[in-house]
Amino acid sequence: MLVWSLILGFAVDGETRSIAAFQRAYQTATNQTVARSSFYDRFTPELRALLSDLLAHALEEVAVPHTIAPQLTQFRDTMIADATVFRLHRLLTAFPATHEDQSGAQLYLVYNVTRQTLAQFKLTGERTHESSQFRTGNWLRGRLFLFDLGFYSSRRFALIDENDGFFVSRLKTNANPRIVGERRKWRGRAISLTGTHLQDRLSKLTREHIDVTGEFEFKRRKYGERQSQDIVEFRVVGVRNEDTDDYHLYVTNLPDEFTPEQVAALYSLRWKVELLFRELKSRYGLEKFETGDEAIAELLVTAALLTLVVSRALLAVFQEIEPDVEYPEERWATTFRSVAQPVLADLGLALGHPPPNLPELVRREARQPERSRLTLNKRVAQAFKTVIWP
């Protein structure tokens, strides 16, 4: 019940993940009184390790399979890598922020769009560059990755391609690849781009789409004192934005069966991870921590991620029961937050804890904890009692 209280008890005290709030949630669900010091002593490295193990297990078990379009079934998974920054207690020097006298953590995530769950996560200081957390290797095989410009790297794209993975990224505004071929024919007297650099011809184009092959130079990893230069060819796609009279440009290694509009639509899926970060922060209390203890801060972040995974697991149950019903993620998260406390109470009953004695619970939690601490009324009354007139 302690673990379940950390997962579901976040809604008991506004949006703050504090030990005091979790203590109230635990006592309400179990009908047990626990001293503050005793409850605090349970937040140990062993509890942090347990939550980490549970999260790792849950990430393997929990999935909400969802097919956005039949063409995406050719990929093992569609993944989004991104990171978000949030503030912690200013005394948490283990998480240095970009500004002095602050602490800032960065939560790096790889979100699996296909399974609607987390694939990877890591907590670092705010100063750590998010792209340094993305690891290449054979795990990329058959997967499609969607990147924002924070992860832009021709070398990274080449490694994904060499590992038989796929990617879509926005093209950097200052990127100027040499065009070595056009991937589709245009009617009429279309301007030829082959043999030119993209930026040199971009302002002269009026076509609806751009679909070419471009050369990208990059440096291989340094071995000893040697670092070789290499060139790789990738597809460059552009979709014209009539409102702004310019192009949204993307670099990808997707085959030609994906049209420029489809490449752009795929990239828009990146909004999923932004919604996920907003869900963690606004619905599940990520960053609302009142602790200066590094281990407890990491424990509470893990608990917030477990909250997300449990929410997704329940979503999978509902989607299995009614596969034709749509459950927008943020609407689901808002509903899940509103029922988290009743769910925790039901779990307490299922695990053999008696229902709470509500009058006793209110009396215990609402009364003044220290008799020596006077309320405002009593302080004023006491002042009148002690006044000695001349």
Side-chain angles (χ1 to χ4, degrees):
M1 278 306 294
L2 175 61
V3 169
W4 280 116
S5 296
L6 294 174
I7 295 172
L8 297 172
F10 65 95
V12 77
D13 196 24
E15 295 182 357
T16 301
R17 281 184 177 266
S18 66
I19 294 180
F22 285 124
Q23 181 185 8
R24 284 190 285 274
Y26 176 82
Q27 292 183 150
T28 302
T30 62
N31 199 26
Q32 295 178 357
T33 302
V34 182
R36 178 65 54 86
S37 59
S38 176
F39 192 78
Y40 188 92
D41 288 343
R42 301 184 189 194
F43 287 73
T44 62
E46 289 78 13
L47 179 59
R48 178 180 60 177
L50 172 62
L51 292 182
S52 297
D53 289 344
L54 288 172
L55 181 56
H57 173 73
L59 294 181
E60 291 293 328
E61 296 295 323
V62 175
V64 192
H66 182 68
T67 302
I68 295 171
Q71 293 92 326
L72 298 187
T73 57
Q74 64 184 280
F75 307 116
R76 287 171 59 191
D77 297 293
T78 299
M79 319 280 273
I80 306 170
D82 207 347
T84 188
V85 171
F86 55 94
R87 293 282 159 256
L88 295 173
H89 196 287
R90 64 182 183 83
L91 298 180
L92 277 171
T93 56
F95 298 99
T98 53
H99 301 286
E100 294 184 1
D101 299 325
Q102 289 186 357
S103 291
Q106 176 179 259
L107 179 62
Y108 164 80
L109 294 179
V110 176
Y111 180 63
N112 190 322
V113 180
T114 306
R115 298 174 180 271
Q116 299 187 68
T117 188
L118 304 181
Q120 298 176 16
F121 72 95
K122 189 170 183 181
L123 188 67
T124 66
E126 183 182 353
R127 296 179 187 176
T128 303
H129 199 286
E130 57 187 350
S131 67
S132 67
Q133 304 306 306
F134 186 87
R135 298 289 182 254
T136 53
N138 58 15
W139 76 281
L140 305 171
R141 185 183 303 274
R143 291 190 164 102
L144 169 61
F145 294 86
L146 309 177
F147 296 114
D148 70 358
L149 293 178
F151 291 82
Y152 189 96
S153 165
S154 295
R155 178 175 172 272
R156 175 174 291 115
F157 300 155
L159 289 172
I160 293 173
D161 190 65
E162 290 166 8
N163 281 280
D164 298 322
F166 300 88
F167 70 90
V168 177
S169 170
R170 285 293 292 267
L171 187 72
K172 272 192 172 180
T173 54
N174 61 354
N176 194 20
R178 179 175 176 271
I179 307 304
V180 296
E182 303 237 19
R183 303 180 76 100
R184 56 187 68 221
K185 295 181 180 180
W186 306 101
R187 296 178 181 178
R189 301 175 61 186
I191 298 175
S192 175
L193 299 180
T194 303
T196 67
H197 285 80
L198 179 65
Q199 300 296 342
D200 298 341
R201 294 293 183 92
L202 203 57
S203 61
K204 300 179 178 66
L205 298 178
T206 58
R207 64 185 65 169
E208 187 177 353
H209 303 125
I210 298 172
D211 198 353
V212 297
T213 300
E215 286 184 340
F216 294 82
E217 295 184 2
F218 68 98
K219 293 180 179 180
R220 292 284 181 182
R221 177 177 291 179
K222 193 173 183 179
Y223 290 97
E225 298 299 320
R226 301 182 61 183
Q227 187 174 28
S228 61
Q229 193 89 3
D230 209 342
I231 296 177
V232 65
E233 294 182 358
F234 289 128
R235 186 181 176 192
V236 177
V237 170
V239 177
R240 190 169 190 82
N241 185 333
E242 297 297 340
D243 294 333
T244 57
D245 196 31
D246 61 4
Y247 289 95
H248 290 171
L249 296 167
Y250 308 90
V251 55
T252 182
N253 64 342
L254 287 174
D256 290 346
E257 66 183 88
F258 290 88
T259 67
E261 293 99 331
Q262 289 172 340
V263 172
L266 270 174
Y267 185 80
S268 69
L269 279 175
R270 280 207 68 266
W271 184 242
K272 287 275 189 181
V273 78
E274 302 298 338
L275 293 176
L276 183 74
F277 287 139
R278 192 162 72 185
E279 181 179 339
L280 279 167
K281 291 180 177 181
S282 66
R283 304 304 194 277
Y284 303 148
L286 183 70
E287 82 177 339
K288 303 294 185 178
F289 303 144
E290 297 178 354
T291 178
D293 187 301
E294 176 187 351
I296 293 179
E298 291 178 352
L299 184 154
L300 294 178
V301 170
T302 306
L305 294 176
L306 274 167
T307 301
L308 174 69
V309 174
V310 169
S311 171
R312 289 293 192 269
L314 288 174
L315 174 58
V317 173
F318 278 79
Q319 290 191 329
E320 185 177 356
I321 295 171
E322 296 181 289
D324 296 330
V325 176
E326 289 287 335
Y327 293 95
E329 283 91 342
E330 285 196 296
R331 187 177 182 88
W332 171 267
T334 300
T335 305
F336 176 73
R337 177 183 174 82
S338 69
V339 302
Q341 289 305 117
V343 171
L344 182 60
D346 276 357
L347 279 171
L349 293 173
L351 293 174
H353 295 282
N357 182 329
L358 293 179
E360 174 59 23
L361 177 66
V362 171
R363 186 192 69 82
R364 185 177 66 232
E365 292 299 322
R367 67 185 179 182
Q368 183 69 278
E370 299 176 20
R371 293 187 176 183
S372 59
R373 186 185 300 174
L374 301 179
T375 62
L376 177 60
N377 283 356
K378 286 196 172 182
R379 288 203 305 271
V380 172
Q382 190 176 60
F384 277 90
K385 288 180 181 179
T386 56
V387 169
I388 301 176
W389 295 97

